[in-house]
Amino acid sequence: MTFHNDESYDAIISGAGPVGLFLACELALAKCSVLVLERTEDPSSPLKRVPFGLRGLSKPTIEALHRRGLLHELQIHKRIQNPHRDAGQGPRRQVGHFAGIPFHDGDIDTERWPCRLTASTPTHLLSEMEELESVLVRRAGALGVRILRGHAVTGFDQAGHGVVVHSHARAFEGRWLIGCDGSRSAIRKLGGLAFDGTEPEFTGYTAKVDIADPEKLRPGRNVTPLGMYVQSQPNHLLIQDFDGGAFHAAGTPITREHVQEVLRRISGTDVTIDALHIATTWTDRARQATAYRNGRVFLAGDAAHIHSPLGGQGLNLGLGDAMNLGWKLAATIKEHAPDGLLDSYHAERHPVGARVLDWSRAQVAIMRPEPQARALNAIVRDLMKTRDGATYFAEKVWGISTSYPFGDGHPWLGHSAPEFEFDDGRTLGELMHDGRGVLLDVEGNASLDEFASGYGGRIAYMAGRPKETFGLTALLIRPDGFVAWVSEGAPDMGRLDQAAVRWFVRGASS
């Protein structure tokens, strides 16, 4: 395929949501030309704003945004009250939940996470979809990403060394195509990528309403013999109706009368809804693409996996996909990727997605309106009241346990690097804004400096002694912040070389 005009790009991304935009930023940071095609004309929606658009950001997402210099641009979490604060519990804060069962900050043993340093980013934050998208759009524009709205992908053809992407009467040429276009992904369907999983057990409702007699509803999250409802803020409702997802699947318009009927049935009250302003439905359908790649086509985010929004892990999972794929695809485009680098995207991210889907299914299993589920729910609730239990669930919900199988050796291998802080005030995350790998040399070893210089600027050499070293003398850190090699004494240059060539290519910069 020959690229010969301004409609040709290194990468074309379908979908201008947070995942597609973050991936575009990662590619453009490495000087790749990127086009983003978005089917909708207007990105704004009340469902993307507080309270509907409120999302919890997990530890890997917060670290990713920090490592690219974006975290400080998020302001919503500084201005809104934590909606998880339990009424009547004073300063004891709910900081997460599993199937609606809360865990609290005072119950979590953070000493079990030894790489949590004073300079560390938060374990969790609240953000807003609209704000996050705005931040990413600004960054994408500054990096030269082209975004075309009102351009749905209607087809594509793979040929030779590229892809021709069709959007109605227009055609665009790209070396790679990535589908970040949501659960109904056109890229996944057109690419023939299987999407296997389990069917839903409930229809969920999110609605803004006027309630004539709100006192008839109990505040907070309420599990009943027929389902669940949440009245988290005045006039904002969340309902789960275990109808097998039938109403959502039918695509029937959501009326005031219907929402009132469901709410009355689930709550066991005769509450009256005077007006329905906004409403949407969702389910716990859990599916995952069996392969995240077909030739020159990749999937990321909801295009690759969908599940119930319980726990708010979908956005975080998708942004993790983008962070993982971005630097690998950029290295391939710039022709300095080692063999098998792109294959590691599916190998690393597919198991993470599968675990999140099972986590979602487990929540649904103990929320069913049946005696067996209520019994399991009571047991899990008791476990979460213990320090071990609360720590375990926090670790999973916040993504602190996320890791990749880098082989045997030091326990940090394959885990996110700590946020090292240096005497001059700099932190590791601030050193990673340019998207390169980092060879951190604690002892000032000249051989490590020479080693890094052999990789054409793709590995940044950093000599400096962090305030806390954990007894380490050197670390090799991938561009996404995951530890690829660790030394606790004199560096074993052979092992360092083995680790480096797995992720980087030696030689002059291309």
Side-chain angles (χ1 to χ4, degrees):
M1 182 176 294
T2 302
F3 300 97
H4 52 76
N5 57 44
D6 62 359
E7 300 296 323
S8 300
Y9 301 87
D10 289 325
I12 298 175
I13 297 171
S14 176
V19 176
L21 291 169
F22 190 50
L23 177 58
C25 291
E26 283 294 282
L27 293 169
L29 185 63
K31 310 301 182 186
C32 301
S33 58
V34 185
L35 170 67
V36 179
L37 300 175
E38 167 57 43
R39 65 179 180 83
T40 60
E41 291 275 3
D42 185 359
S44 65
S45 167
L47 294 174
K48 294 181 180 180
R49 303 182 198 123
V50 173
F52 297 114
L54 202 61
R55 296 291 187 274
L57 301 184
S58 67
K59 182 65 172 174
T61 297
I62 295 166
E63 289 177 331
L65 294 171
H66 173 57
R67 287 165 179 165
R68 295 303 183 258
L70 293 166
L71 184 61
H72 71 281
E73 297 189 37
L74 299 178
Q75 299 296 320
I76 288 289
H77 67 91
K78 300 176 183 179
R79 301 197 298 267
I80 60 176
Q81 183 180 1
N82 187 338
H84 295 305
R85 187 179 295 276
D86 286 354
Q89 290 193 336
R92 188 167 182 258
R93 291 190 309 122
Q94 178 184 334
V95 289
H97 74 89
F98 177 81
I101 307 170
F103 56 85
H104 301 86
D105 53 359
D107 298 334
I108 299 165
D109 184 6
T110 58
E111 295 298 318
R112 298 192 188 180
W113 308 326
C115 52
R116 288 279 300 143
L117 299 172
T118 302
S120 288
T121 53
T123 52
H124 60 290
L125 284 176
L126 291 171
S127 185
E128 180 193 55
M129 287 286 285
E130 186 172 77
E131 179 190 55
L132 181 59
E133 286 187 9
S134 296
V135 167
L136 293 172
V137 165
R138 288 196 299 270
R139 176 58 60 89
L143 292 171
V145 173
R146 186 182 183 193
I147 302 174
L148 293 180
R149 299 189 181 276
H151 283 69
V153 174
T154 55
F156 65 82
D157 303 295
Q158 296 195 61
H161 298 290
V163 184
V164 175
V165 180
H166 304 279
S167 178
H168 301 291
R170 299 187 67 176
F172 305 90
E173 294 175 337
R175 295 173 65 183
W176 301 88
L177 171 64
I178 309 96
C180 302
D181 49 344
S183 61
R184 295 185 175 90
S185 172
I187 304 303
R188 186 186 67 238
K189 295 173 183 176
L190 292 167
L193 290 156
F195 202 45
D196 295 342
T198 53
E199 291 306 305
E201 298 197 30
F202 65 75
T203 294
Y205 298 80
T206 302
K208 180 180 179 182
V209 298
D210 290 340
I211 303 177
D213 39 11
E215 69 280 358
K216 292 183 177 179
L217 299 176
R218 295 191 301 272
R221 186 181 301 268
N222 299 277
V223 177
T224 77
L226 296 176
M228 184 273 294
Y229 73 92
V230 178
Q231 188 178 213
S232 58
Q233 298 185 38
N235 301 323
H236 290 89
L237 293 172
L238 186 150
I239 311 171
Q240 282 175 259
D241 182 15
F242 281 80
D243 65 347
F247 183 83
H248 179 82
T252 306
I254 309 171
T255 65
R256 180 195 66 81
E257 292 79 10
H258 176 74
V259 174
Q260 178 175 274
E261 184 277 321
V262 173
L263 180 59
R264 286 181 170 181
R265 175 162 43 83
I266 299 300
S267 67
T269 70
D270 61 352
V271 64
T272 298
I273 295 177
D274 284 337
L276 178 67
H277 300 290
I278 302 169
T280 187
T281 62
W282 40 277
T283 75
D284 59 311
R285 185 172 179 241
R287 289 184 175 271
Q288 184 178 29
T290 54
Y292 284 9
R293 178 186 181 184
N294 179 3
R296 289 184 167 267
V297 179
F298 287 90
L299 300 177
D302 287 352
H305 39 70
I306 61 168
H307 57 87
S308 162
L310 295 169
Q313 292 186 304
L315 172 64
N316 295 290
L317 183 59
L319 291 172
D321 293 343
M323 187 69 162
N324 189 284
L325 176 60
W327 68 274
K328 297 174 181 178
L329 185 55
T332 302
I333 290 169
K334 294 301 181 180
E335 299 182 348
H336 49 70
D339 292 342
L341 183 64
L342 278 182
D343 292 335
S344 71
Y345 168 61
H346 172 93
E348 291 180 352
R349 294 305 298 174
H350 194 275
V352 175
R355 287 194 293 270
V356 171
L357 262 66
D358 278 346
W359 185 261
S360 173
R361 293 182 181 112
Q363 292 184 78
V364 176
I366 66 170
M367 297 178 80
R368 296 186 186 114
E370 59 187 29
Q372 294 90 336
R374 287 196 291 273
L376 284 172
N377 190 296
I379 292 171
V380 172
R381 190 175 295 272
D382 285 344
L383 288 173
M384 291 178 68
K385 291 177 182 177
T386 68
R387 196 158 179 79
D388 286 347
T391 303
Y392 170 82
F393 282 95
E395 184 176 286
K396 297 296 184 182
V397 170
W398 294 341
I400 291 173
S401 60
T402 300
S403 64
Y404 302 129
F406 285 6
D408 297 331
H410 195 278
W412 283 11
L413 287 178
H415 289 261
S416 184
E419 177 65 335
F420 290 111
E421 183 178 12
F422 301 91
D423 290 336
D424 60 5
R426 291 181 300 168
T427 64
L428 175 65
E430 293 166 352
L431 300 175
M432 303 190 73
H433 288 182
D434 61 4
R436 294 186 294 166
V438 174
L439 181 56
L440 176 59
D441 181 4
V442 175
E443 301 293 334
N445 190 314
S447 62
L448 294 179
D449 189 4
E450 181 180 359
F451 181 89
S453 68
Y455 280 82
R458 290 178 283 277
I459 299 176
Y461 172 76
M462 171 59 192
R465 191 172 187 84
K467 294 180 179 179
E468 175 60 68
T469 67
F470 299 99
L472 304 179
T473 57
L475 297 92
L476 177 63
I477 302 164
R478 299 195 318 185
D480 56 358
F482 283 77
V483 178
W485 171 83
V486 173
S487 174
E488 295 179 297
D492 185 328
M493 301 305 291
R495 287 187 177 275
L496 172 58
D497 185 64
Q498 291 175 1
V501 298
R502 183 177 178 183
W503 310 112
F504 307 95
V505 167
R506 297 189 191 93
S509 180
S510 57

